[in-house]
Amino acid sequence: PPPPPTSAPIIMDTAWSILSTSEALYHLIIMMLTLGQGVYSMPVPTDVPMCTASETAQYRLTFTGKWTQAAFPKQYPVYRPPAQWSNLIGVTHSSDYNIWKRNEFASNGVREFAEKGEAWTLMKEVEAAGERIQSVYGILSAPAVVGGTGQMSTEFEVFARHSYLSFIVRIVPSPDWFVGVDSVDLCDGDHWKENVSLDLFPYDAGTDSGFTFSSPNFETIPQDKITQITSSFPSHPANSFFYPRLKHLPPIAKVVLTKIKKTNQIISLPVEPTQSNQLPTGNEIEDKLINTPLDCEVSLWSPWGLCKGKCGDSGVQHRTRYILMHPANNGAACPLLEEERKCFPDNCL
């Protein structure tokens, strides 16, 4: 067989920053041996539009967190840990590969990343796909965002046979929830798209059955498929994203992919991923501030208490309930927390 080409670019950025030094060294060796062969691809399915762009293209990916307490007031994580985002892990690939896919089972790598933020197994799966079916072109990463809002960005390269982008970012804290994109095609016939902007919504990896952001580990047996979390699904009222008054959840994040104009520079090295924990202002954010109404939630009534009164006369007994969730953003106010009724004392002497 012909030797692997030496000019196949591999976008690696700083994916190793989430791994230990020894693991990163092992990764570097494996990536050089496997993904360097990425220009040879398996036959692309005939029902998929073929990209005929003659040149490669570079893009800048900008991820913006929109996870605010005003937009998602229910059980919003304030500490231990507060709301934040993990590293972004992504791949550029051909149409015959998926790092994750809605309504399909999550791989062990996606499971570990969605539950714990550990990328070791996921990276090995990507490498194996690059070696086995030659469908992975490059790996990209961007650093974590320490806060529900803020930005992270990185740059990557695509070419005709590998014109798709997929990535995953874990929601922290959460049982196994994440956001991401699956197989966004950046090619349009014989040219590359200039800009792609996508709102992101939460997904459940189907591997942990916790309902709230801070739920303890509760393995899902048997494993469920990856599903999108909505304002009414799962329909359990304890679910942190359950807002029955809303038809749709507001986007919890956003990604913008911008094609970079080529310069006269012969070799364009990957740019160090950047991060900003400050929410952009002015024209950078065109969306209005979203304030999701959160109705008050109360417990069930307690049993009726003892009947208090004199023998022979009617008395009074009480029952109570307590607030589970205080209202926010003009949500429905709490109902009465105590009731009383007439009664006749028992066991009078």
Side-chain angles (χ1 to χ4, degrees):
T6 58
S7 58
I10 300 173
I11 311 304
M12 297 179 66
D13 290 348
T14 56
W16 322 130
S17 62
I18 55 176
L19 305 171
S20 70
T21 303
S22 60
E23 291 171 342
L25 180 59
Y26 168 81
H27 257 56
L28 182 60
I29 296 170
I30 294 298
M31 289 294 296
M32 291 175 67
L33 293 175
T34 59
L35 293 186
Q37 306 170 28
V39 293
Y40 300 115
S41 68
M42 296 291 286
V44 178
T46 55
D47 58 339
V48 177
M50 291 293 293
C51 176
T52 57
S54 59
E55 296 184 343
T56 61
Q58 283 198 331
Y59 281 87
R60 184 167 188 82
L61 179 155
T62 302
F63 175 97
T64 303
K66 294 188 173 185
W67 188 11
T68 65
Q69 192 163 8
F72 299 92
K74 188 173 183 181
Q75 301 160 358
Y76 187 83
V78 178
Y79 59 92
R80 297 184 182 177
Q84 56 192 281
W85 303 95
S86 77
N87 299 66
L88 177 148
I89 300 294
V91 294
T92 53
H93 58 93
S94 56
S95 61
D96 54 358
Y97 175 76
N98 301 93
I99 193 171
W100 67 274
K101 191 173 181 63
R102 183 176 177 176
N103 297 327
E104 299 287 346
F105 291 109
S107 67
N108 287 334
V110 170
R111 174 195 193 115
E112 290 185 10
F113 189 77
E115 289 186 9
K116 307 171 188 176
E118 296 175 358
W120 174 248
T121 304
L122 182 59
M123 299 294 284
K124 288 199 295 184
E125 290 173 352
V126 171
E127 291 168 2
E131 183 178 37
R132 185 179 67 255
I133 57 177
Q134 310 294 308
S135 59
V136 175
Y137 178 57
I139 298 176
L140 57 140
S141 73
V145 176
V146 186
T149 61
Q151 286 188 337
M152 53 178 160
S153 61
T154 187
E155 294 182 7
F156 63 94
E157 191 172 40
V158 286
F159 78 120
R161 290 190 180 183
H162 298 83
S163 61
Y164 292 82
L165 169 72
S166 297
F167 70 78
I168 182 171
V169 181
R170 179 176 183 248
I171 297 173
V172 184
S174 73
D176 61 341
W177 301 340
F178 67 92
V179 298
V181 298
D182 169 35
S183 302
V184 172
D185 193 358
L186 296 171
C187 185
D188 187 6
D190 61 354
H191 64 277
W192 299 101
K193 297 174 182 177
E194 293 294 328
N195 287 282
V196 177
S197 178
L198 300 168
D199 287 328
L200 304 179
F201 299 90
Y203 281 88
D204 188 318
T207 62
D208 190 296
S209 296
F211 276 120
T212 65
F213 294 115
S214 56
S215 292
N217 291 335
F218 182 36
E219 185 177 358
T220 303
I221 303 175
Q223 181 177 336
D224 286 335
K225 294 180 178 179
I226 296 173
T227 54
Q228 184 173 342
I229 301 172
T230 70
S231 59
S232 58
F233 178 83
S235 59
H236 197 290
N239 179 25
S240 291
F241 286 111
F242 185 67
Y243 296 94
R245 285 176 55 179
L246 298 182
K247 289 185 177 180
H248 307 285
L249 285 176
I252 196 170
K254 180 178 182 178
V255 64
V256 176
L257 308 168
T258 306
K259 185 171 176 288
I260 301 172
K261 292 185 176 6
K262 292 198 173 184
T263 64
N264 293 329
Q265 190 176 4
I266 299 175
I267 300 176
S268 181
L269 296 175
V271 173
E272 187 76 12
T274 58
Q275 170 194 345
S276 168
N277 290 324
Q278 299 299 318
L279 192 64
T281 56
N283 296 329
E284 294 182 47
I285 288 191
E286 68 282 0
D287 305 307
K288 294 180 180 178
L289 181 64
I290 298 173
N291 293 290
T292 300
L294 180 64
D295 296 339
C296 177
E297 295 182 13
V298 295
S299 68
L300 298 175
W301 286 109
S302 69
W304 286 102
L306 294 175
C307 185
K308 298 178 180 179
K310 295 180 179 180
C311 288
D313 293 332
S314 63
V316 176
Q317 61 184 165
H318 295 84
R319 67 175 182 175
T320 61
R321 56 187 175 185
Y322 56 91
I323 296 174
L324 295 172
M325 190 78 60
H326 288 274
N329 302 329
N330 297 317
C334 294
L336 292 175
L337 301 178
E338 184 173 344
E339 278 188 347
E340 65 177 43
R341 69 180 182 183
K342 289 185 178 181
C343 60
F344 290 92
D346 295 329
N347 304 320
C348 279
L349 298 176

